[in-house]
Amino acid sequence: MVVAVKGDAMELNKEQIAKLEEIYKKTETFFNQIKDSLGRGFDYRGFKILNTKPAYMPPLFFIGYQPGGSAEHWKEECRTKSYKTWPRTNGYAQESWPLAAQVRWMFEMFPKKLEQSVGLNAIFIRAANARCYRKSLDRNLRACIENFCLTRVGEIIEVINPKRIVVFGFETLSLFGSGESYPPNGKGKILTRTGEIANRKVIAMLHPTGAWRYISKLDQDLIRDCVLAFVDLPHAA
């Protein structure tokens, strides 16, 4: 069943587009400055900021930890120069990656809201996974990367002005602060947390493609319902 809910995202104006374009230019400059320090396995992977076409006041704004992708993926982006700007489509609504499939399940009753969503990565530099990123790069370099990227995330949020923010993974939320549990399941397990990013209230969940492999279907349903309640969409009681 599809549920109709009022409140559409709007097109960005020229000034807002110019601000996003400037963020992309700054990120490319930053990447070129640090790529020789990244070492083998990172220098060719590049970066990715937005996973969707941007919009003003989208109903949903997703924040993931970091873009993945293989060397072949990055080479294709270099060939097409697609990393220089945002996608023309919505990855969460249309792509086949596991995270996108889980997000579509969570918002299956609200396809229009999902199609209008905007999403990005908290850390723009590509890595095979977060563990590889932490293990391969020294603390000072990671601090430099995170300081640059998290500042840009705040700037993007200010430009886009999303209605509700959903964070994938507690590790992602921890980049911005610890947050508070909201609420535990019947056995005391923390499934979602709330926190603040760019002075806005957010909800974070156990990562849909990592931690969800180890929790029950009942807990997955509870996470979905907690998120839907937080973003003011109809949900199970």
Side-chain angles (χ1 to χ4, degrees), residues 33-216:
Q33 290 171 344
I34 67 166
K35 68 179 181 180
D36 291 339
S37 302
L38 294 175
R40 186 177 181 182
F42 285 89
D43 53 340
Y44 60 75
R45 290 182 185 269
F47 64 89
K48 186 174 185 179
I49 305 176
L50 287 166
N51 293 318
T52 66
K53 179 181 177 181
Y56 184 66
M57 294 186 69
L60 302 166
F61 187 86
F62 300 117
I63 302 179
Y65 189 85
Q66 187 173 34
S70 64
E72 289 70 27
H73 194 148
W74 172 233
K75 287 176 182 177
E76 177 62 16
E77 289 197 347
C78 281
R79 185 186 68 80
T80 61
K81 300 188 184 301
S82 60
Y83 65 91
K84 290 178 176 286
T85 188
W86 46 84
R88 295 184 178 182
T89 58
N90 186 309
Y92 302 111
Q94 300 175 12
E95 295 292 344
S96 60
W97 10 287
L99 177 59
Q102 288 288 65
V103 172
R104 284 195 293 273
W105 170 77
M106 292 184 69
F107 294 93
E108 63 184 347
M109 293 193 300
F110 312 99
K112 186 175 181 181
K113 294 297 179 188
L114 183 58
E115 186 65 45
Q116 293 180 346
S117 68
V118 175
L120 52 63
N121 304 288
I123 298 171
F124 305 154
I125 306 302
R126 283 190 183 277
N129 52 56
R131 181 182 178 185
C132 176
Y133 167 74
R134 291 192 302 271
K135 184 177 179 180
S136 302
L137 304 185
D138 69 60
R139 182 178 300 177
N140 290 335
L141 181 55
R142 294 200 312 271
C144 177
I145 291 170
E146 289 162 18
N147 180 64
F148 175 86
C149 295
L150 300 186
T151 300
R152 304 289 89 73
V153 169
E155 292 171 355
I156 292 171
I157 289 174
E158 289 302 312
V159 171
I160 288 177
N161 192 24
K163 294 177 182 177
R164 293 290 185 269
I165 299 176
V166 177
V167 179
F168 299 132
F170 296 161
E171 190 174 15
T172 307
L173 180 62
S174 71
L175 293 168
F176 302 90
S178 58
E180 300 178 354
S181 60
Y182 168 86
N185 68 358
K187 297 181 180 179
K189 182 184 293 183
I190 304 302
L191 302 176
T192 56
R193 292 182 179 274
T194 55
E196 283 194 2
I197 297 176
N199 298 314
R200 297 163 188 261
K201 198 82 167 178
V202 307
I203 187 169
M205 70 183 90
L206 288 174
H207 199 284
T209 59
W212 280 31
R213 291 176 292 178
Y214 308 106
I215 64 175
S216 67

